């Protein structure tokens, strides 16, 4: 009996110690969260006053005011850029010297792309399609590896002056958090996950349209940009579903991680209210404490890196699985891929209104698997600025598409030219007005 009492007493003591430990850890977690929010608020107050901040260890406190690099507003303990990023030039600016600072009453549509390796010509063709049909001014944010930066600047500055008047551009290096740079670089493709860090790098940009390099605009950028005005008070990003037809969906059949909705989302075209993203604390399955954007990325990668196939897109699916109220889902016509026609047409909005943005994923712009997709890419790539759009772009494209009707996508190729024809007509109507 005495032995039993000793054992019972020992169990009670151990239980009490365990409870004390649990409560102390919870208190610490809440303290860390509050500290993060305090520092984040201080950083944003510095941003509002126009004085960027950086972390220091001196008597001035955790942050001190210091004019630094325009492209980085403040550094947090998680988001540390390599020291060599901010040197003499933080970024390559356009020839007229305009950087990425948002101007009052900014009417520009802000477009970002990430390009590494052999993606120069594909990216330039995408940018050409954006410039051809858009009536509002554009600002391009091009994130490129060192080998491509000079080529981008040379190519864009060589475009005719009348075209150059329609856009500005800023070129950034590829940068990841230094402590985990290798992990982010090897995720899916060498620099694909750069998009996850755009809200942290482009601190002074309110809203942004991110697109993959293998995108072609068949109608003006401002038309998808207008979807921002349809966000409700909680929505902060917009993407299209990965699939319209669950029977051929990838996520609902193969995913080993949480994903958004019935079939997941595709991040090749992503419209973002980045001010809201930076201010939001996201629910997650790692902690009961909501995490900010910069706090959540690395823990998500550590948890799911053995279960994800499509890299950063999978991480976005995980985030919006737990925060579905923050996502605006736009129709498949804004991100039309071979999946929408390879087994027969399954994008209803494209059938009704035509394709607005063509996404040639899995390299179909450059191989013979989907000749209809390749025909559109070749037509825009070969078009020369200043030539008649109908005679030099639309008519040759329609001729090429006639030879693709042996494929399912070729039989739906009239959907590719429906919006394109309207865009060309709109541009041609603007020409006499501009003279």
């Amino acid at each position: 009996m005495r032995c039993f009492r000793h054992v019972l007493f020992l169990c009670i003591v151990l239980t009490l110690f365990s409870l004390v430990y649990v409560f102390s850890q919870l208190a610490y977690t809440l303290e860390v969260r509050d500290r993060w929010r305090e520092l984040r608020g201080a950083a944003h107050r510095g941003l509002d006053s126009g004085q960027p901040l950086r972390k220091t260890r001196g008597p001035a406190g955790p942050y001190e005011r210091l004019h630094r690099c325009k492209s980085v507003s403040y550094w947090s303990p998680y988001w540390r850029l390599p020291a060599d990023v901010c040197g003499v030039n933080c970024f390559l600016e356009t020839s007229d010297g305009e950087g990425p600072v948002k101007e009052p009453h900014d009417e520009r549509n802000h477009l970002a792309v990430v390009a590494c390796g052999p993606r120069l010509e594909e990216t330039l063709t995408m940018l050409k399609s954006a410039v051809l049909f858009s009536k509002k001014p554009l600002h391009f944010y091009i994130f490129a590896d060192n080998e491509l930066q000079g080529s981008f600047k040379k190519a864009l500055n060589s475009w005719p002056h009348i075209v150059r008047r329609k856009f500005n551009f800023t070129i950034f290096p590829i940068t990841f958090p230094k402590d985990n740079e290798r992990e982010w670089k090897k995720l899916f493709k060498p620099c694909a996950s750069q998009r996850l860090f755009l809200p942290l790098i482009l601190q002074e940009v309110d809203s942004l349209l991110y697109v993959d390099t293998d995108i072609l605009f068949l109608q003006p950028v401002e038309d998808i940009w207008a979807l921002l005005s349809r966000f409700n008070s909680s929505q902060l990003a917009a993407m299209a579903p990965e699939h319209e037809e669950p029977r051929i969906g990838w996520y609902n059949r193969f995913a080993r991680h949480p994903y958004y909705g019935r079939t997941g989302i595709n991040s090749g075209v992503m419209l973002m209210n980045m001010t809201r993203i930076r201010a939001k604390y996201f629910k997650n399955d790692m902690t009961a404490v909501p995490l900010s954007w910069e706090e959540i990325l690395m823990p998500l990668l550590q948890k799911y890196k053995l279960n994800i196939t499509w890299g950063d897109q999978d991480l976005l699916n995980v985030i919006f699985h737990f925060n579905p109220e923050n996502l605006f889902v736009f129709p498949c016509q804004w991100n039309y891929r071979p999946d929408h026609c390879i087994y027969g047409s399954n994008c209803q909005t494209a059938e009704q209104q035509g394709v607005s943005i063509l996404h040639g994923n899995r390299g179909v712009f450059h191989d013979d698997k989907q000749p209809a997709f390749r025909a559109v890419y070749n037509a825009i790539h070969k078009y020369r600025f200043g030539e008649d759009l109908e005679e030099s772009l639309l008519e040759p494209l329609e001729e090429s598409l006639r030879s693709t009707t042996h494929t399912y996508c070729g039989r739906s190729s009239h959907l590719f030219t429906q919006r394109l024809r309207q865009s060309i007509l709109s541009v041609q109507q603007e020409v006499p007005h501009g003279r």
Side-chain angles (χ1 to χ4, degrees):
M1 179 62 71
R2 181 176 299 176
C3 181
F4 173 76
R5 290 177 179 172
H6 284 303
V7 172
L8 181 61
F9 177 76
L10 182 60
C11 290
I12 293 173
V13 171
L14 290 175
T15 301
L16 290 174
F17 273 114
S18 299
L19 290 173
V20 170
Y21 175 77
V22 169
F23 282 113
S24 65
Q25 290 299 307
L26 177 60
Y28 175 75
T29 301
L30 293 174
E31 181 183 355
V32 169
R33 183 197 65 178
D34 293 340
R35 184 59 176 156
W36 264 103
R37 290 179 176 175
E38 179 185 346
L39 294 179
R40 199 167 185 269
H44 280 291
R45 287 192 294 274
L47 176 59
D48 293 339
S49 66
Q51 294 176 298
L53 307 173
R54 82 170 175 187
K55 191 174 187 297
T56 67
R57 296 184 179 179
Y63 286 87
E64 73 172 4
R65 301 188 184 281
L66 178 67
H67 289 285
R68 181 70 176 170
C69 169
K70 285 184 181 179
S71 62
V72 184
S73 298
Y74 70 94
W75 295 359
S76 74
Y78 172 67
W79 175 246
R80 290 194 182 111
L81 293 177
D84 58 348
V85 172
C86 290
V88 177
N89 294 310
C90 290
F91 41 75
L92 300 175
E93 296 182 344
T94 58
S95 57
D96 58 7
E98 183 176 350
V101 179
K102 184 184 176 186
E103 300 173 350
H105 309 294
D106 190 358
E107 295 184 353
R108 296 174 297 173
N109 294 161
H110 299 261
L111 177 67
V113 65
V114 178
C116 289
R119 297 280 183 164
L120 176 66
E121 290 301 325
E122 183 176 84
T123 307
L124 289 171
T125 303
M126 180 275 292
L127 297 175
K128 180 195 285 188
S129 71
V131 170
L132 280 176
F133 309 121
S134 294
K135 299 175 184 177
K136 288 193 174 182
L138 298 164
H139 194 115
F140 300 142
Y141 300 87
I142 303 169
F143 290 78
D145 53 22
N146 295 336
E147 292 76 13
L148 296 182
Q149 292 174 18
S151 299
F152 271 117
K153 189 172 185 180
K154 180 179 179 181
L156 292 173
N157 281 327
S158 71
W159 287 3
H161 179 67
I162 192 171
V163 177
R164 284 285 292 109
R165 290 170 56 188
K166 298 176 66 174
F167 71 94
N168 294 316
F169 67 92
T170 312
I171 300 177
F172 292 83
I174 301 296
T175 55
F176 294 107
K178 193 169 185 180
D179 294 342
N180 311 101
E181 184 176 6
R182 293 185 62 184
E183 287 191 79
W184 288 112
K185 278 187 174 181
K186 68 182 182 181
L187 181 64
F188 188 51
K189 292 179 181 178
C191 64
S193 56
Q194 179 74 86
R195 86 179 82 184
L196 295 175
F197 300 97
L198 297 182
L200 307 179
I201 299 173
L202 302 176
Q203 284 279 338
E204 294 166 347
V205 178
D206 174 68
S207 297
L208 186 74
L209 175 63
Y210 165 86
V211 295
D212 287 345
T213 61
D214 51 4
I215 289 291
L216 292 173
F217 291 93
L218 304 184
Q219 70 179 86
V221 174
E222 55 262 29
D223 291 346
I224 187 171
W225 189 264
L227 296 179
L228 284 166
S229 64
R230 294 172 57 183
F231 284 18
N232 64 29
S233 59
S234 64
Q235 291 167 337
L236 47 79
M239 286 176 275
E242 174 69 12
H243 285 283
E244 303 301 308
E245 175 52 64
R247 289 177 294 178
I248 61 174
W250 192 92
Y251 282 107
N252 55 290
R253 292 190 296 160
F254 305 116
R256 297 180 294 160
H257 58 80
Y259 56 90
Y260 177 87
R262 289 196 309 158
T263 60
I265 46 177
N266 184 280
S267 61
V269 180
M270 184 176 179
L271 188 61
M272 294 178 278
N273 183 321
M274 299 206 299
T275 299
R276 291 186 179 182
I277 290 176
R278 288 187 287 263
K280 169 71 178 176
Y281 286 85
F282 295 86
K283 299 186 294 290
N284 60 88
D285 61 344
M286 299 170 292
T287 172
V289 179
L291 300 174
S292 67
W293 191 259
E294 65 253 50
E295 295 168 337
I296 202 172
L297 295 178
M298 179 49 63
L300 274 182
L301 177 61
Q302 294 293 352
K303 178 169 183 175
Y304 290 108
K305 63 183 177 181
L306 298 180
N307 295 328
I308 58 179
T309 302
W310 307 113
D312 51 303
Q313 177 174 290
D314 291 348
L315 296 183
L316 289 169
N317 266 278
V318 174
I319 290 174
F320 289 107
H321 170 85
F322 293 105
N323 301 271
E325 71 281 2
N326 298 135
L327 186 68
F328 178 94
V329 180
F330 52 65
C332 48
Q333 72 184 85
W334 297 104
N335 188 350
Y336 191 94
R337 292 165 286 115
D339 304 271
H340 293 118
C341 56
I342 191 172
Y343 302 116
S345 181
N346 60 58
C347 178
Q348 186 175 0
T349 56
E351 292 174 5
Q352 297 170 347
Q353 303 174 27
V355 174
S356 301
I357 293 179
L358 196 67
H359 186 177
N361 63 329
R362 294 193 288 273
V364 297
F365 284 155
H366 311 291
D367 59 30
D368 297 323
K369 294 179 181 178
Q370 296 298 333
F373 279 75
R374 184 171 184 175
V376 180
Y377 176 84
N378 286 340
I380 295 177
H381 178 67
K382 294 177 181 178
Y383 171 79
R384 294 185 178 182
F385 288 114
E387 295 180 343
D388 184 85
L389 281 166
E390 190 170 0
E391 293 181 359
S392 300
L393 197 162
L394 182 60
E395 292 177 2
L397 172 58
E398 291 177 328
E399 179 65 29
S400 297
L401 290 174
R402 292 190 187 99
S403 64
T404 68
T405 54
H406 62 285
T407 66
Y408 280 114
C409 289
R411 293 170 196 168
S412 298
S413 62
H414 61 284
L415 304 178
F416 299 176
T417 56
Q418 181 176 334
R419 282 286 180 177
L420 180 62
R421 183 180 291 105
Q422 295 173 5
S423 298
I424 290 175
L425 179 61
S426 179
V427 169
Q428 290 175 334
Q429 290 174 342
E430 285 289 312
V431 172
H433 177 74
R435 288 179 178 175

